Amino acid sequence: MAAHVRVFVIFTAAYFLSYFYRSANAVIAPDLAQELALDASQLGLMTGLFFAAFAAVQLPLGVGLDRLGPRWVTSALMLVGAAGSLLFASAHSLAALALGRALIGVGMAGVLMGALKAFSQWYSPLRYPALSGLLVGLGSAGALAAATPLAWLNETVGWRAVFGVGAGAVAGVAAAIALGTRNAPPGVPWPGQSVDLRALQTVFGDLRFWRIALLVFFTNGTLLAFQGLWAGPYLNDVYAADALTRGNVLLWLSAGVTVGFLLSGWLSTRLGLANLVTLGAALFIATQVALALHPPPVVMAPVGALFGLSGGLTIMLLAQPRYVFPIAVTGQATTAVNLFAIGGAALVQWWMGLIIGLFPGVDARYPPEAYSAALMAMATGTAAMLMFYWPMRRSAA
């Protein structure tokens, strides 16, 4: 296998695992809640720790990638994730689950940014956007594995076995990155330059950054919070859906996300990046409202697919900094936006749990109104940030 193909394949495999882990709790949430007697707020906080730890690593991660390179930084972090998966698999308390989930978040924090850093060295500027979009689209299929296949495995061997085997898969891909890739093509020296953190002052002082960051906080945050956790309890409590049915609906939702990711780059070149984001966010708000109104079970799968598709289109917010900021600071600007994208997932996941927990539950089940309130709150926040973002449509992006 040619070296440049090997780099793409290995990092895509790593992102597949990252997306699997961020989405897995949606299917196994009812089992976690029942087995360890977790209420909604505990379940939301524990699951959200993946994203909280992921977000906390972002800014120092950028420094590490620039100085040491993705080969060593990404593989080392993934070994932390493998240890977290083993701890999660053997946990018998909320504290152990939470620590395992947080370590998995740390382990996966360097996968996407590490891949993009590697691609920037291995591929020409003309090929970079297409391959980056292909990476995100193919890797997000990890959410498909965390839908019906995970539901079947959970019923067959149990979630503990899945996370135990997953730890071995993560360690194996980490080894593949360390042994099978390079920071740069042969003959191209790795600069190992230091990073001027004063560039962050330029980024955070620009109003355009906040228009992008606050919208991605709610779009990406709500997408991952629902896909990665609350879709499962929503289907369980509102529709009394069994595990396989929940997995099938999540499969449609995750397929929508994958299609949205794959189409986003192509559509942004035709509609304009900011126009595409605006359209995607508006559709995303509409589907949140539809879910809050509890559509008939027969249309749940299409509504879930549209929720995923529209949320996936807004991923172009992560690409927008390179059109807004000078080339010298786009790396740190992108990492800073990603901090809000992942931080949004952590907080929105927790906030939804807090709102749902305000309603009286019986045997870890909550009434339909609880999910309506949580979804409408997130739809309102997304709508407010879309209005704040609206002036970006006048930009060249």
Side-chain angles (χ1 to χ4, degrees), residues 3 23 61 65 71-73 80 87 114 134 138 140-141 196 241 270 282 285 304 307 311 364 379 393:
S23 306
L61 169 67
L65 289 174
R71 178 185 185 185
W72 302 114
V73 172
V80 175
L87 177 59
L134 190 60
L138 294 176
S140 68
D196 182 6
R270 286 152 178 80
I285 294 164
F307 175 91
R393 297 176 68 250

Side-chain angles (χ1 to χ4, degrees), residues 198-293:
R198 290 175 297 180
L200 287 176
Q201 297 177 5
T202 301
V203 173
F204 286 119
D206 194 310
L207 181 61
R208 294 171 299 174
F209 167 79
W210 293 105
R211 296 189 193 278
I212 298 168
L214 293 178
L215 181 57
V216 82
F217 178 96
F218 275 96
T219 55
N220 198 69
T222 304
L223 175 65
L224 295 183
F226 196 70
Q227 180 189 31
L229 175 60
W230 291 117
Y234 169 87
L235 293 167
N236 185 68
D237 296 355
V238 176
Y239 296 97
D242 59 26
L244 194 58
T245 301
R246 295 196 303 267
N248 288 336
V249 174
L250 284 166
L251 189 67
W252 278 84
L253 191 158
S254 300
V257 173
T258 298
V259 172
F261 284 166
L262 289 172
L263 289 177
S264 60
W266 181 79
L267 287 174
S268 69
T269 62
R270 286 152 178 80
L271 303 178
L273 191 150
N275 288 331
L276 176 65
V277 166
T278 301
L279 174 62
L283 288 173
F284 190 56
I285 294 164
T287 57
Q288 290 175 66
V289 173
L291 289 169
L293 296 176

Side-chain angles (χ1 to χ4, degrees), residues 214-215 217-219 222 281-282 284-290 292 307 348 351-352 355 371-389:
L214 293 178
L215 181 57
F217 178 96
F218 275 96
T219 55
T222 304
F284 190 56
I285 294 164
T287 57
Q288 290 175 66
V289 173
F307 175 91
V348 169
W351 291 346
M352 290 185 73
I355 294 171
Y371 295 94
S372 295
L375 285 163
M376 288 301 297
M378 297 311 116
T380 301
T382 308
M385 292 307 104
L386 178 57
M387 292 176 64
F388 183 54
Y389 176 85

